[in-house]
Amino acid sequence: QETIDLICTAAEDAPLSVVIIGVGNRDFSAVEKLLGDETERLRDSRGIPIAREIVNFVSFKQHAGNATEVIAEAVKDIPE
């Protein structure tokens, strides 16, 4: 929860994007919690939703180890 709180606080005013690339066969479900879900934004421990989505997760394995695809997917949501 501490990590979620820090991400939510940073999203309020910092020009920040967090890109996480999962490498290997590990279970990344804990990392995926940082993304929120399809219908609801990530919320801090007080229940306040994140000001803007700043976390993107890409699994290297899902792109069959193609580094070009992984990088393209990882940066596609970063604002200019």
Side-chain angles (χ1 to χ4, degrees):
Q1 186 63 51
E2 182 180 354
T3 301
I4 292 172
D5 287 348
L6 290 170
I7 289 171
C8 288
T9 299
E12 291 175 10
D13 59 3
L16 175 71
S17 292
V18 178
V19 176
I20 302 168
I21 298 176
V23 178
N25 295 319
R26 305 284 303 223
D27 175 13
F28 295 110
S29 58
V31 174
E32 291 172 352
K33 290 179 184 178
L34 300 176
L35 305 174
D37 63 31
E38 297 294 322
T39 60
E40 190 170 324
R41 290 182 167 211
L42 187 66
R43 291 182 176 271
D44 68 14
S45 58
R46 300 169 296 166
I48 298 171
I50 192 167
R52 61 185 180 84
E53 298 295 333
I54 65 168
V55 181
N56 190 16
F57 171 75
V58 179
S59 172
F60 199 77
K61 184 179 174 182
Q62 288 179 333
H63 293 276
N66 184 324
T68 302
E69 284 183 19
V70 170
I71 292 167
E73 180 70 20
V75 300
K76 77 176 189 175
D77 294 328
I78 296 176
E80 292 185 21

